[in-house]
Amino acid sequence: MKHTTLNRIGFQFLALLLAFGIASLVLLAVGASPAQIYKDMFGSLGTKGKIADVLVSWAPLLLATAGLLITFAAGLWNIGVEGQITFGAIGTTLVLRLLQNSAMNAGFIIALSIFAGMLAGALWAALAGALKTFGGVNEIFGGLGLNFVATALTIYLVFGPWKRPGTGSMSGTQPFPEQFNLPLFEGLRLSPWALIVAVVGIVFVSFLLQGTYFGLRLKAVGKNFRAAYLLGIPTWQYMMFSFLLCGALSGAAGALQVTAVYHRLIPSISSGYGYLGLMVAMLVNYQAIAAIPVAFFFAALNIGSIQLPIVHKLDSSFSGVLQGLLVLFILLAEGARQRLTPKA
Amino acid sequence: MRTIVTRFAFLALALMLVISACSPAAPAATEPPAVSTAPAEPYVFGLLMVGPYNDHGYSQAHYEAGKYVEEKIGAKMVYIDKVNTADRPGTTPDQLAGDLVAQGAKLVIFSSDDMKDAATAFAKANPNIYVIMGSGDQVWKEAPNYEAIPNLSDIMGRMEYGKMIAGCAAALTTQTGQIGYLGPLINDETRRLAASAYLGAKHCWVAEGKNPADLKFKVTWVGFWFNIPGFTADPTQIVDDFFNSGYDVVMSGIDTTEAMVEAGKFAAEGKTVWAVPYDYEGACEVSPKICLGVPYFNWKPMYLEAITAASQGTFTSSFQWRGPDWSDLNNPDTTSVGFLKGEGLSAENSTKIDAFIADLAGGLNLWTGPIKLQDGSVYLADGVVATDPQVWFLPQLLEGMEGQSAAE
């Protein structure tokens, strides 16, 4: 056992070295100093405000990852997660718009709107699930299609029925009055509520996958659909349910984007957290709790990479290069380890 | 459980390794202590641009103004471009402004209308940092959403004049009598600028003895200040549609150069077309031969003034909406908007443009009634001159213009 652990550590260390090594080569190729760049990227995160900004991205990213871990467990590649975040944001915006002039308590309206976002996300996921289960459409293609539809719908709403009075702009709907924003920590852009929702989400998923019979059976469906069916697990119901849960969690991510970050609906409301969440989920496999630091690391790369255009006049998409390389090499290393390590 | 621990441990370890490997390079330890004879630290200001800093359009005009200020007073600019949620997902302009402050900026320019809400929020949250809102109106007492924000100033050039001159050039040049206007998103600013272009076009069209009803002026909106594939309409497609349907002059109202590029292509195929770019002094360079001239923003003097004041501690909140220097439209030190003629403008029309500019300088005001809105209602009765708020907050396009006045 000890030997295996050391072995794994060795391979993962190699993967990290390779990822950072190749990313550094990319930097050298554009004439930048990798050491300086890494220093500026991570060094910029040393303030309270910066850590808070990282957590602002971390919360929705973690929720999307949490949802994806459920569909991963069921053996599904729910690429539609982006659309589920977006549709969740639409649901939240809808409820806020409908109720913002009502006499109800603002806090209650926010809670209701987040719930609506979860419901909307689940609904969008259910569509991908239904396409998969009853239509035989692979969830990758169904999800991708639904992502486009969700974006198109957002653009329609932003330019159409929900436009700012007298304008027509991609910059989004009219911001909601301040009382409909989730309260922030003093002097920061971070809402404690966003953190709470995210942590509850990931703990829930961790418990579901590690500690329940449901999680076990879901993994059985994911590992071997046919065998699970023969063992009497209601397989398609499990798959649908995993879509619904993932959609609800992604919808919560969209709801946070509206209530805690942008305070309005914008066309790119999902901020790519769905695709990023796919990478985090791939890295942590079934280990939901591990998503907490990994998602933090990915969010930190995103926030830190803003230093690249400011300080080095380089494109900030370098963070995406590094994230992609990390996923690639860690998966590769795991594959190599399994091939190269003699079976005990 | 093992995998959790190892994966987490190693990502964390990697992060720590990187940070620890790099942190000893802290410059403070190696730099000599400051001596009294050392030159004063340069004043640092930040600039947020909505598009790329080298867009040959709106953002570049700001960038170059920033460079100008650097040169003039030895200040230092830190900037970040592509500040919009499509290019920088998950960020907000006020967050990015914070990044510029972390780089030492004591004043931050939010240069695009798209950042107005964020500029207000940032200014209020950072009362010790000065904020310039390019094209904004938050601190204008005449504006309906006026707010007193002591550390924020609004700065804008009276581009209405530039657009009138450009519209005149278009009307003098068109052979089909059809002018296309490539609009960005729809708001107060873009409505009044498209309308000003139309007023200039109509004025010069009528001056040629032609019937205003025969002048076709159509506005097609993109949906943002520039093309964002998947989110906006494609400006290239819109320009092509104009040229393919009888419009022979396209005026650009967007931040980027699609109108110029496409006009250049059509001209290379032997079609008789022209374009009028916008925003940036050097925009004609994209396709010089078909360029009638460019109305551009010259942010230099107003930025210099505001940043100098800020660096001396004499900054006061104000709303600035400044016109051209009529004695020299293209004087970088004095004018706030300019018009640079292009090679596509004939010698004869160039003379006429000069005469028109002289008329404007002499007090000709095209924002004088009778002016009707697109829905036919009277906006300015006969002889009534528009007030500044009436121009700034134009609620619709004007009668005679085709195109949406607001999103549908």
Side-chain angles (χ1 to χ4, degrees), chain B residues 130-141:
Chain B
Y130 295 118
V131 174
I132 294 178
M133 177 64 219
S135 79
D137 54 20
Q138 303 100 308
V139 297
W140 189 18
K141 290 206 170 99

Side-chain angles (χ1 to χ4, degrees), chain A residues 9 50 166-168 171 262 316, chain B residues 10 88 91 99 114 186 191 223:
Chain A
I9 289 173
K50 275 298 189 181
T167 70
S171 29
Y262 287 107
S316 58
Chain B
F10 274 96
R88 302 206 182 278
T91 63
D99 282 312
D114 198 44
I186 315 176
R191 268 192 298 269

Side-chain angles (χ1 to χ4, degrees), chain A residues 114-137:
Chain A
I114 293 177
F115 182 70
M118 295 176 71
L119 212 62
L123 178 77
W124 209 242
L127 280 180
L131 281 170
K132 161 90 177 176
T133 315
F134 306 115
V137 179

Side-chain angles (χ1 to χ4, degrees), chain A:
Chain A
M1 169 106 113
K2 188 146 195 192
H3 177 256
T4 327
T5 308
L6 276 175
N7 193 336
R8 197 184 288 265
I9 289 173
F11 271 94
Q12 297 214 334
F13 190 67
L14 194 69
L16 282 165
L17 277 184
L18 279 169
F20 273 95
I22 292 194
S24 304
L25 285 181
V26 172
L27 290 173
L28 285 172
V30 297
S33 146
Q36 190 60 37
I37 297 246
Y38 294 134
K39 183 195 153 208
D40 287 335
M41 275 176 77
F42 296 110
S44 72
L45 302 175
T47 65
K48 199 167 87 174
K50 275 298 189 181
I51 299 288
D53 282 349
V54 172
L55 290 172
V56 169
S57 324
W58 174 80
L61 175 59
L62 190 62
L63 282 167
T65 308
L68 284 164
L69 286 171
I70 300 178
T71 41
F72 264 34
L76 297 164
W77 286 88
N78 181 21
I79 263 188
V81 60
E82 278 281 316
Q84 289 146 28
I85 299 174
T86 305
F87 211 69
I90 291 176
T92 298
T93 310
L94 175 72
V95 167
L96 286 176
R97 286 182 64 87
L98 289 176
L99 300 181
Q100 63 177 336
N101 295 321
S102 75
M104 269 186 265
N105 174 286
F108 179 69
I109 294 176
I110 298 177
L112 211 60
S113 77
I114 293 177
F115 182 70
M118 295 176 71
L119 212 62
L123 178 77
W124 209 242
L127 280 180
L131 281 170
K132 161 90 177 176
T133 315
F134 306 115
V137 179
N138 185 298
E139 75 277 7
I140 295 179
F141 300 117
L144 210 53
L146 287 167
N147 288 352
F148 281 111
V149 177
T151 304
L153 184 65
T154 315
I155 292 173
Y156 163 74
L157 289 168
V158 166
F159 280 100
W162 293 356
K163 64 170 184 278
R164 286 176 93 142
T167 70
S169 167
M170 201 205 78
S171 29
T173 58
Q174 181 90 24
F176 291 109
E178 216 164 299
Q179 70 266 31
F180 298 109
N181 302 346
L182 278 176
L184 304 180
F185 283 113
E186 179 71 31
L188 301 175
R189 276 178 286 274
L190 176 66
S191 168
W193 291 100
L195 295 183
I196 291 170
V197 173
V199 170
V200 168
I202 196 76
V203 169
F204 164 74
V205 169
S206 174
F207 172 72
L208 194 72
L209 293 181
Q210 313 293 338
T212 67
Y213 194 48
F214 173 85
L216 191 66
R217 299 218 285 185
L218 195 64
K219 281 188 248 182
V221 173
K223 291 263 187 242
N224 192 330
F225 187 82
R226 183 143 180 83
Y229 177 76
L230 291 176
L231 283 171
I233 299 174
T235 43
W236 75 262
Q237 290 92 328
Y238 265 68
M239 266 169 45
M240 270 310 273
F241 200 62
S242 73
F243 268 114
L244 287 175
L245 282 175
C246 178
L249 287 159
S250 321
L256 288 185
Q257 287 287 89
V258 173
T259 52
V261 184
Y262 287 107
H263 313 305
R264 63 185 198 275
L265 184 64
I266 58 171
S268 44
I269 191 79
S270 68
S271 299
Y273 292 142
Y275 294 129
L276 209 55
L278 279 164
M279 293 213 266
V280 178
M282 269 189 265
L283 275 184
V284 302
N285 210 352
Y286 298 123
Q287 316 298 327
I289 294 302
I292 293 176
V294 176
F296 184 85
F297 182 69
F298 273 46
L301 278 178
N302 270 13
I303 298 294
S305 69
I306 296 294
Q307 298 304 313
L308 298 184
I310 295 178
V311 182
H312 298 280
K313 315 300 170 218
L314 290 174
D315 202 279
S316 58
S317 52
F318 173 72
S319 65
V321 174
L322 193 52
Q323 286 157 347
L325 285 170
L326 278 171
V327 174
L328 205 64
F329 280 110
I330 288 196
L331 294 183
L332 256 175
E334 182 61 18
R337 188 188 66 82
Q338 284 173 10
R339 273 183 79 100
L340 298 178
T341 310
K343 299 265 182 309

